[in-house]
């Protein structure tokens, strides 16, 4: 297995490889009109669905739900497109949700490197996009975001320009690589010995969740995330006592609406009055997708550098393996 350093380095190349895979995919047209979309996936596979749902929500004519559980909501039926995204293809929540979708007559598409999800799709005659396997699922986010976006484009549910924006995000990362590494090291130093709290505008919630997941899995740290404006209505009060155990990492994207930007600035001011541990990371890029990819790569590196500062093993996730093993005995 490659090192986490090599796997994070490969993110831009993964996007290129993923675009080549997507270009060759032919999809069956759904029998019924699609009235809603549910992307089922957990953890490192689920985050791709969360990201893409946010990227398409301003233009997609139907709602897109990123779903992380076994049993689907009641609205899922023959007018639902259900995408099962599981890197290993063996995640039980995703498999059970997809089987349930099959029972309700939904149009199903798999995204996986193989496993039981591929088997299920081939047995039942559903399209299944195969991505290269063998790595930790969280390092395959470049593959899932491209395949999910491409599926929605091919089914006329998203604009073709989105893949172009992913490609320009890839180029942006390569152009900004030195700056990304320098800032990621600073973020890791800042977070050393603290519990990170990641904040972003609501339209970047998936990016903040990605940051949390990477600090959890790569850095072995507890972490939480919240978004503006909702955090103004509750969490801000929680900073009231002032607390230096935590490090507030604000993701400044520069594209919030005027009122949300003002909320962001006031939130930084209020949190800064209660702790000295505030860091503002500025995204680069001209579109939401470019800025998201930039921030994803930045926090991926920050999570690895934080692990290095603690002499940790960024790859191992023994507790997840143990839990999956125990569950398989039921
Ligand atoms: C491991 C990771 C996990 C998995 C999750 C679901 O790197 O990030 O969050 O992604 O346990 O497994 P898959 O992705 O195989 O469906």
């Amino acid at each position: 297995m490659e090192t986490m350093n090599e796997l994070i380095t490969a993110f831009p190349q993964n996007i290129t490889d993923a675009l080549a895979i997507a270009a060759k995919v032919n999809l069956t047209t759904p029998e019924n009109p699609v009235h809603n979309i549910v992307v089922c996936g957990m953890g490192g596979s689920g985050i791709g669905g969360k990201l893409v749902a946010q990227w398409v929500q301003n233009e997609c004519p139907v709602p897109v739900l990123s779903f992380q559980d076994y049993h689907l909501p009641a609205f899922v039926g023959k007018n639902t497109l259900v995408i099962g995204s599981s890197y290993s293809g063996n995640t039980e929540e995703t498999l059970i949700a997809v089987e349930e979708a099959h029972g309700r007559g939904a149009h199903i598409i798999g995204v996986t490197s193989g496993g039981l999800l591929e088997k299920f799709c081939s047995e039942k005659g559903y399209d299944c996009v195969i991505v290269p396997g063998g790595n930790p699922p969280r390092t395959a986010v470049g593959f899932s975001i491209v395949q999910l976006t491409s599926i929605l484009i091919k089914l006329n549910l998203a604009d073709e320009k989105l893949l172009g924006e992913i490609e320009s995000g890839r180029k942006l990362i390569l152009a900004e690589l030195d700056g990304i590494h320098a800032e990621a090291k600073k973020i890791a130093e800042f977070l050393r010995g603290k519990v990170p709290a990641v904040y972003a505008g609501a339209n970047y919630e998936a990016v903040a969740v990605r940051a949390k997941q990477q600090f959890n899995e790569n850095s072995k740290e507890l972490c939480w995330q919240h978004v503006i404006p909702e955090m103004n209505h509750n969490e801000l009060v929680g900073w009231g006592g002032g607390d230096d155990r935590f490090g507030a990492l604000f993701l400044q994207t520069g594209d919030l609406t005027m009122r949300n930007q003002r909320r962001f600035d006031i939130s930084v001011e209020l949190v800064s009055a209660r702790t000295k541990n505030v860091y503002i990371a500025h995204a680069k890029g001209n579109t939401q997708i470019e800025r998201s990819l930039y921030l994803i790569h930045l926090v991926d590196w920050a999570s690895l550098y934080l692990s290095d500062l603690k002499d940790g093993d960024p790859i191992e996730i023994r507790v997840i393996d143990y839990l999956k093993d125990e569950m398989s005995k039921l």
Side-chain angles (χ1 to χ4, degrees):
M1 161 116 51
E2 288 168 278
T3 64
M4 187 54 78
N5 191 311
E6 289 165 331
L7 291 163
I8 296 176
T9 302
F11 181 56
Q13 184 59 45
N14 292 163
I15 291 176
T16 303
D17 297 345
L19 287 167
I21 294 169
K24 294 196 189 119
V25 170
N26 287 315
L27 297 176
T28 319
T29 308
E31 244 175 68
N32 303 303
V34 173
H35 292 172
N36 44 63
I37 302 165
V38 179
V39 188
C40 303
M42 305 301 297
S45 293
I47 194 63
K50 268 195 198 312
L51 285 159
V52 174
Q54 289 213 296
W55 294 343
V56 302
Q57 72 181 0
N58 288 336
E59 289 176 26
C60 185
V62 297
V64 188
L65 175 69
S66 152
F67 188 72
Q68 279 79 48
D69 202 352
Y70 294 86
H71 298 294
L72 293 166
F75 72 77
V76 173
K78 63 180 179 38
N79 293 107
T80 307
L81 165 65
V82 172
I83 307 179
S85 180
S86 168
Y87 184 72
S88 62
N90 295 325
T91 296
E92 61 172 37
E93 296 93 319
T94 310
L95 288 168
I96 288 174
V98 164
E99 273 166 28
E100 208 170 274
H102 171 68
R104 296 202 209 162
H107 184 86
I108 298 172
I109 301 176
V111 177
T112 183
S113 69
L116 293 172
L117 183 58
E118 182 187 13
K119 190 163 171 273
F120 171 85
C121 289
S122 89
E123 279 173 7
K124 304 282 187 230
Y126 293 121
D127 293 327
C128 190
V129 182
I130 304 294
V131 299
N135 289 318
R138 62 190 179 282
T139 67
V141 69
F143 287 99
S144 60
I145 54 173
V146 170
Q147 302 320 324
L148 295 175
T149 306
S150 166
I151 287 169
L152 297 187
I153 292 171
K154 283 178 202 259
L155 297 183
N156 291 320
L157 295 161
D159 194 312
E160 204 162 342
K161 72 172 188 218
L162 299 186
L163 278 186
E165 291 178 12
I166 293 179
E167 169 59 10
S168 45
R170 182 191 74 81
K171 287 188 182 138
L172 171 77
I173 286 172
L174 290 176
E176 298 290 339
L177 220 39
D178 291 348
I180 288 175
H181 279 277
E183 177 140 43
K185 283 180 188 156
K186 277 204 247 166
I187 293 172
E189 281 293 351
F190 163 73
L191 290 175
R192 186 182 202 163
K194 305 179 189 90
V195 177
V198 183
Y199 298 119
N203 50 339
Y204 287 86
E205 182 162 20
V207 175
V209 172
R210 168 68 175 184
K212 173 206 143 45
Q213 294 177 344
Q214 293 294 74
F215 289 128
N216 291 156
E217 291 186 65
N218 290 348
S219 325
K220 277 58 180 183
E221 290 289 348
L222 287 172
C223 174
W224 83 91
Q225 92 289 336
H226 210 335
V227 290
I228 286 158
E230 176 62 17
M231 69 82 82
N232 288 176
H233 299 273
N234 35 63
E235 181 151 333
L236 209 43
V237 186
W239 281 95
D243 206 319
D244 285 338
R245 288 174 300 167
F246 306 111
L249 174 61
F250 283 88
L251 305 179
Q252 169 82 274
T253 50
D255 59 346
L256 303 189
T257 58
M258 187 273 283
R259 300 198 76 80
N260 270 336
Q261 187 57 52
R262 188 67 193 120
R263 285 178 176 278
F264 188 100
D265 296 339
I266 299 171
S267 303
V268 169
E269 181 194 313
L270 288 170
V271 174
S272 303
R274 283 152 181 86
T275 174
K276 60 182 185 320
N277 302 333
V278 173
Y279 190 107
I280 304 175
H282 296 262
K284 294 200 171 166
N286 295 319
T287 61
Q288 185 180 0
I289 290 186
E290 287 179 17
R291 286 184 281 264
S292 298
L293 296 184
Y294 179 94
L295 287 172
I296 286 169
H297 206 50
L298 178 68
V299 295
D300 278 8
W301 280 115
S303 70
L304 177 58
Y305 288 132
L306 185 56
S307 168
D308 290 349
L309 287 175
K310 304 194 310 176
D311 267 336
D313 176 352
I315 297 266
E316 77 83 10
I317 46 161
R318 276 188 296 274
V319 288
I320 298 180
D321 297 337
Y322 168 80
L323 200 135
K324 286 186 180 181
D325 197 45
E326 287 298 302
M327 292 303 291
S328 72
K329 295 175 190 162
L330 285 178

